[in-house]
Amino acid sequence: MEKNWYNQSPEETLKNLSTTKESGLTEDEAKKRLQEYGENALEEEKKKSFGEKLKEQFLDPMIIILIVASIISIFIGEALDAGIIIAIVIVNAILSIRQEGKAEEAIAALQKMSSPKAKVIRDGEHMEVDSNTIVPGDIIVLETGDIVPADLRLIESSNLKIDESSLTGESVSVEKFYDKVYDGKMEIGDRENLAYSSTIVTYGRGEGVVVETGHNTEIGKIATSIATVSDEQTPLQKKLAKLSKTLGILVIVICAIVMVVGLIYKHDPLDMFMTAISLAVAAVPEGLPAIVTIVLSIGMGKMAEKNAIVKKLLAVETLGTTTVICSDKTGTLTQNEMTVTKVFTDGNVYEVSGTGYLP
């Protein structure tokens, strides 16, 4: 199928998609195409099972050292110490998994909000359907306030303006013209005869024929590229891993020195071995993982109060150390509310309180 839909006139697009402006698709044809193209939705990232999340928690270098310390404590008869260490490890794991679970629930709720109903013409009748059932060839009716449900080639427009900031970063609404036809390749922000999935109609009305759905939409391509990015360790994870490695090496070296010195002075080998092991257990900071998790959980909670969702607990520290965020335009990361803070009039400067559109 032709991909450069902006190079085609509305009539050519309708013909290529075997549909009509007046009647749209029939219900039977829509069902057939749904089977062929799949749902108009982005595939959700495969959720990790509880077992996988638990495994991740116990593969942390600091946690491994604690587990080893608890096993050694049992062997040297310090069952109470071993119990305390294991309890700390379990509490740490539960706290981390619980916080990440809360973030996943919040993100899932946001995804549901971004999957609206869509106004379509099928069998010549106007109706509302779930946006995930839309297929190429469907005729979509757009009105002010609507979220565009898929990539469309406009076939009608009347003073139509669309906010494409979620896709292009351009905070000013783009005026659309159904009758424009382009020659050659055009960049996304310059295609004034197309409307893109997840953008918002800010003014006017229009109609468009669906040309791409799901992962084939422009926003879907971005989601696919993000999904293929491999996870990197946060600065805190790197620091804790380095600390664990350093601590592990130091503990082994010191224990070996204590053991050797004791043997040189002809102390009982078993006594020296037990002393070295006790020293190793004492050197491990059992409370560190739990303290780190609790502090990060408090940080995540405070950010949630400010409507900022953090998916990974360890990412809180990364955000906390951020001092500068570079963004090209107002409206991309902000609420797009220009605010007067100072007024100069009649030779005087006045400070103005309040933020955004609040008085």
Side-chain angles (χ1 to χ4, degrees):
M1 210 179 275
E2 178 59 62
K3 294 295 181 183
N4 293 336
W5 300 103
Y6 52 85
N7 294 144
Q8 299 181 26
S9 67
E11 294 75 23
E12 286 175 309
T13 308
L14 290 165
K15 186 181 176 184
N16 284 333
L17 290 164
S18 304
T19 187
T20 61
K21 179 182 174 181
E22 295 75 25
S23 302
L25 299 173
T26 63
E27 279 292 344
D28 288 340
E29 181 59 27
K31 284 175 184 174
K32 280 181 195 172
R33 294 192 185 191
L34 189 61
Q35 290 289 324
E36 183 183 347
Y37 295 104
E39 286 195 351
N40 175 38
L42 303 181
E43 283 180 28
E44 288 186 15
E45 189 181 342
K46 190 184 174 186
K47 287 187 178 179
K48 291 176 184 172
S49 66
F50 179 78
E52 286 174 320
K53 289 178 183 176
L54 203 60
K55 183 182 169 187
E56 276 184 7
Q57 296 298 324
F58 289 115
L59 285 176
D60 184 274
M62 183 62 74
I63 299 299
I64 291 169
I65 287 177
L66 289 179
I67 292 168
V68 171
S70 65
I71 293 167
I72 292 169
S73 296
I74 292 168
F75 276 109
I76 63 173
E78 298 290 341
L80 182 62
D81 284 357
I84 290 168
I85 295 169
I86 292 297
I88 287 168
V89 169
I90 291 168
V91 168
N92 175 68
I94 290 169
L95 274 172
S96 294
I97 292 168
R98 183 169 169 269
Q99 287 294 343
E100 285 178 23
K102 277 186 180 179
E104 283 175 2
E105 285 170 16
I107 289 166
L110 286 175
Q111 284 173 336
K112 284 178 186 173
M113 285 170 63
S114 66
S115 179
K117 297 275 186 181
K119 304 181 190 88
V120 302
I121 299 173
R122 283 185 184 169
D123 288 318
E125 293 184 13
H126 287 248
M127 61 179 74
E128 270 199 1
V129 299
D130 289 329
S131 63
N132 59 359
T133 63
I134 288 167
V135 293
D138 264 326
I139 305 298
I140 306 293
V141 179
L142 299 174
E143 294 174 335
T144 304
D146 287 349
I147 297 173
V148 181
D151 283 4
L152 314 177
R153 170 58 170 99
L154 295 171
I155 55 175
E156 189 181 299
S157 61
S158 176
N159 300 318
L160 184 63
K161 291 183 181 179
I162 297 179
D163 176 4
E164 296 183 344
S165 57
S166 62
L167 186 64
T168 63
E170 178 57 68
S171 58
V172 178
S173 295
V174 180
E175 192 164 2
K176 296 291 182 176
F177 304 94
Y178 80 97
D179 53 356
K180 279 200 174 182
V181 181
Y182 298 101
D183 291 322
K185 188 170 174 61
M186 300 292 290
E187 295 304 321
I188 291 173
D190 299 323
R191 301 169 190 170
E192 293 176 345
N193 56 10
L194 296 185
Y196 297 106
S197 176
S198 299
T199 59
I200 302 167
V201 179
T202 57
Y203 195 80
R205 68 175 303 282
E207 287 183 12
V209 56
V210 176
V211 292
E212 302 290 358
T213 58
H215 277 279
N216 292 321
T217 61
E218 292 299 333
I219 205 84
K221 289 171 188 173
I222 293 170
T224 303
S225 65
I226 291 170
T228 57
V229 175
S230 57
D231 287 340
E232 285 189 11
Q233 284 193 321
T234 65
L236 182 61
Q237 279 176 304
K238 288 174 183 174
K239 286 173 188 171
L240 287 175
K242 189 179 178 183
L243 174 66
S244 303
K245 188 179 177 182
T246 306
L247 194 64
I249 292 167
L250 282 173
V251 165
I252 292 166
V253 170
I254 292 167
C255 290
I257 291 169
V258 168
M259 186 80 180
V260 170
V261 170
L263 291 174
I264 289 169
Y265 282 92
K266 310 235 185 292
H267 288 295
D268 182 55
L270 183 60
D271 285 346
M272 291 317 303
F273 177 73
M274 297 298 270
T275 303
I277 294 299
S278 300
L279 185 63
V281 173
V284 175
E286 293 93 345
L288 182 61
I291 290 165
V292 168
T293 302
I294 290 163
V295 169
L296 292 178
S297 298
I298 292 167
M300 186 182 264
K302 287 189 180 294
M303 291 187 76
E305 287 171 13
K306 301 286 184 183
N307 301 318
I309 297 166
V310 183
K311 190 175 178 184
K312 282 278 186 184
L313 196 61
L314 285 156
V316 174
E317 186 266 349
T318 312
L319 289 167
T321 55
T322 303
T323 53
V324 177
I325 296 174
C326 298
S327 178
D328 63 339
K329 293 180 182 72
T330 300
T332 308
L333 291 172
T334 63
Q335 289 182 304
N336 213 13
E337 295 179 355
M338 298 291 281
T339 308
V340 176
T341 56
K342 285 184 181 180
V343 176
F344 177 78
T345 179
D346 196 24
N348 296 309
V349 177
Y350 299 94
E351 299 278 344
V352 181
S353 62
T355 57
Y357 298 145
L358 297 174

